[in-house]
Amino acid sequence: EEIRGPILVAALLSVVLAAGIGWVVARGPARRLEAMARAASDFAGGRTAVRAEAGGDDEVAVLARSLNRMADELQERLVLLERERSQLRTVLEGMVEGVVLTDPTGRILLANDAFRRIFNAQLPVEGRRPLETARVPALQEAIESALEADEPVTREIALGGAQDKVIQASLASIRESGETVGAVAVFHDVSELKRLERVRREFVANVSHELRTPLTAIKGYAETLRDGGLRDPETAAEFVRVIHRHAERLRALIEDLLDLAAVEQGEARIDLAPVALRDVATQAEAVARPAAAGKRHTLTLDVPGDLPRVLADRDRLGQVLINLLDNAVKFTPEGGRIEVSARPSSGRVVLSVKDNGVGIPPEDIGRIFERFYRVGRSRDRREGGTGLGLAIAKHLTQAMGGTIEVESRPGSGTTFRVSLPAA
Ligand SMILES: Nc1ncnc2c1ncn2[C@@H]1O[C@H](COP(=O)(O)OP(=O)(O)O)[C@@H](O)[C@H]1O
Ligand SMILES: [Mg+2]
């Protein structure tokens, strides 16, 4: 559009000029002038490759040459403009942020692909109001505010629906000699940032809560002892045991937190070396055996000695396995069956811990690897865990280049599978 105006004017001028001269000059040059007029109108019609005949050195030839020079220059400028425009397009379409340009009434002049994607805009976007194409009232409101305001405007736009997106919008009106000629807006999807922020806040709240519970108990019992509780040796002994249990819980929690922080930040030392799974499994089983015996579980080990060795950190892998066995023991009612087994699987070895315990409801299974997540919080808190075991197990497994999966049916049992690359 911008280019057509000047071209038309220039072309029109040339036509008028050529015709005028043609009229004045006698028949001889008239034919050449006619040809020149045709060339000029061709040019105006968009056929920018045509040129007038410029032979000879009379006035007509001079005119033809300047006409051609003008044509050359215009063509050059056209190419330049076209190139700039395509560069702008490339930049806009390559952006992660949505970008929109509107006219002073708020109609969209230009929008990039990211904008259409973020707002799920109906095509065509250009020429319509934001509300007509995207059905997000907050977007319409933001653009109207930007058109009215002297200062840039920022908004946070929540998009409902399944994906629960939060979009940060920065908008500004465009002024030309004091008059608003449009607005430009940039949209940034901050949903992931928001989610991380929420996770962090929840984590801090959880940690504080988990630390406070045993601390409050310790303080309470200690105060009772101080205020005369010591006089009855039997009660005193019981209170000291309770204090010790809570202190132990506090220690476990802090140790788990430090462990988790270290693996998450990649600070934990992970020494990968070929490891015989049978050894690791036997050791972990020995650790879990007393607790399993306490609940009269049958604990079996099916890890062949001739399995390929895996590439892992022996101690860390033991830690993962002990965590899984600890859970299996805890979340299986008395007299259950727990089995540790391992099988090779296309360049990897899969280690399984299977129980026939309470199982995990489908609605919780996606979250059990999250820090502090427990199924039915009160149910599993009684078991005395920190809710960090699986988060640690997952991070450790991943740090060793492995994966961890869970499969469960409420009421019939749970299987955790750790897959590690063969050494
Ligand atoms: N074998 C299992 N059977 C049933 N539920 C399990 C099992 N393993 C883990 N869970 C569920 O996953 C949650 C998280 O486990 P974990 O991170 O080890 O925490 P914790 O053992 O401290 O409760 C548990 O609280 C429990 O609800
Ligand atoms: Mg656990």
Side-chain angles (χ1 to χ4, degrees):
E1 299 282 355
E2 287 161 30
I3 333 169
R4 202 173 292 164
I7 295 179
L8 264 175
V9 173
L12 223 64
L13 270 174
S14 326
V15 174
V16 171
L17 213 67
I21 293 165
W23 193 74
V24 172
V25 178
R27 282 192 175 277
R31 192 194 51 79
R32 285 159 65 204
L33 281 173
E34 242 170 62
M36 203 149 57
R38 253 198 321 279
S41 85
D42 272 356
F43 195 81
R47 290 174 292 279
T48 55
V50 292
R51 293 292 181 271
E53 275 180 48
D57 52 7
D58 57 356
E59 283 86 347
V60 178
V62 172
L63 188 63
R65 277 196 291 276
S66 30
L67 194 67
N68 284 348
R69 225 182 8 261
M70 189 176 72
D72 286 344
E73 219 160 90
L74 270 171
Q75 196 176 11
E76 219 165 88
R77 252 178 232 185
L78 264 176
V79 169
L80 224 66
L81 269 170
E82 196 43 60
R83 189 178 307 153
E84 267 172 29
R85 172 180 291 208
S86 97
Q87 280 170 350
L88 187 67
R89 267 277 147 213
T90 313
V91 169
L92 280 177
E93 292 306 332
M95 280 175 77
V96 185
E97 292 84 6
V99 176
V100 145
L101 184 71
T102 76
D103 71 7
T105 69
R107 272 182 209 288
I108 297 173
L109 291 174
L110 182 151
N112 68 351
D113 190 49
F115 170 82
R116 295 189 284 272
R117 211 177 39 246
I118 290 173
F119 290 100
N120 191 19
Q122 306 293 311
L123 293 173
V125 171
E126 273 90 0
R128 294 162 86 186
R129 287 177 193 292
L131 198 55
E132 293 165 343
T133 169
R135 306 197 197 297
V136 180
L139 172 64
Q140 176 85 27
E141 185 278 330
I143 287 176
E144 280 166 11
S145 305
L147 283 167
E148 278 163 25
D150 297 322
E151 302 274 293
V153 168
T154 57
R155 289 280 189 283
E156 214 159 75
I157 300 176
L159 297 182
Q163 70 276 58
D164 227 358
K165 281 199 279 192
V166 182
I167 309 300
Q168 183 146 35
S170 312
L171 314 95
S173 59
I174 308 168
R175 300 289 170 95
E176 264 169 28
S177 43
E179 210 179 316
T180 304
V181 295
V184 62
V186 178
F187 304 93
H188 193 68
D189 187 342
V190 291
S191 317
E192 182 59 12
L193 273 177
K194 290 272 162 194
R195 194 187 65 80
L196 289 175
E197 205 178 291
R198 197 168 55 238
V199 167
R200 189 192 56 80
R201 261 204 311 270
E202 277 174 14
F203 180 67
V204 171
N206 275 327
V207 170
S208 317
H209 178 80
E210 298 288 334
L211 290 175
R212 196 165 53 204
T213 312
L215 260 182
T216 308
I218 291 170
K219 185 162 174 279
Y221 283 102
E223 277 167 5
T224 315
L225 285 174
R226 181 197 62 194
D227 300 340
L230 278 173
R231 276 193 290 273
D232 177 359
E234 225 168 274
T235 327
E238 168 62 14
F239 282 11
V240 169
R241 267 197 299 279
V242 176
I243 289 177
H244 182 259
R245 198 174 68 230
H246 283 292
E248 180 53 36
R249 179 169 168 68
L250 214 49
R251 186 200 57 80
L253 190 64
I254 287 166
E255 225 150 75
D256 276 0
L257 279 171
L258 289 176
D259 254 6
L260 187 63
V263 224
E264 273 189 340
Q265 287 160 24
E267 281 166 9
R269 274 191 64 101
I270 307 271
D271 293 321
L272 295 181
V275 171
L277 275 181
R278 195 180 165 82
D279 293 349
V280 180
T282 309
Q283 276 174 16
E285 189 234 31
V287 174
R289 188 157 289 284
K295 285 185 82 175
R296 291 188 282 108
H297 291 319
T298 312
L299 186 54
T300 59
L301 202 64
D302 174 18
V303 182
D306 59 354
L307 274 178
R309 293 198 292 176
V310 294
L311 199 61
D313 181 309
R314 197 194 158 88
D315 294 341
R316 300 303 193 167
L317 182 56
Q319 203 179 340
V320 170
L321 198 51
I322 288 169
N323 261 320
L324 297 180
L325 276 170
D326 177 58
N327 285 346
V329 170
K330 277 195 299 191
F331 301 113
T332 302
E334 290 220 354
R337 273 196 322 278
I338 298 166
E339 184 181 87
V340 181
S341 60
R343 293 287 178 272
S345 159
S346 52
R348 302 175 78 85
V349 181
V350 179
L351 183 70
S352 313
V353 177
K354 183 177 175 191
D355 65 55
N356 65 342
V358 294
I360 302 165
E363 64 268 26
D364 295 297
I365 207 150
R367 301 196 58 189
I368 57 164
F369 290 102
E370 286 175 22
R371 304 178 286 193
F372 292 117
Y373 194 83
R374 299 172 177 112
V375 177
R377 300 193 65 99
S378 61
R379 172 193 105 178
D380 296 344
R381 199 186 292 270
R382 259 181 278 122
E383 299 294 341
T386 59
L388 294 172
L390 285 179
I392 293 173
K394 182 176 184 178
H395 276 102
L396 283 176
T397 306
Q398 286 176 345
M400 294 186 287
T403 58
I404 185 165
E405 286 174 6
V406 58
E407 190 187 319
S408 184
R409 265 208 304 159
S412 54
T414 306
T415 305
F416 281 91
R417 289 191 191 84
V418 176
S419 161
L420 288 161

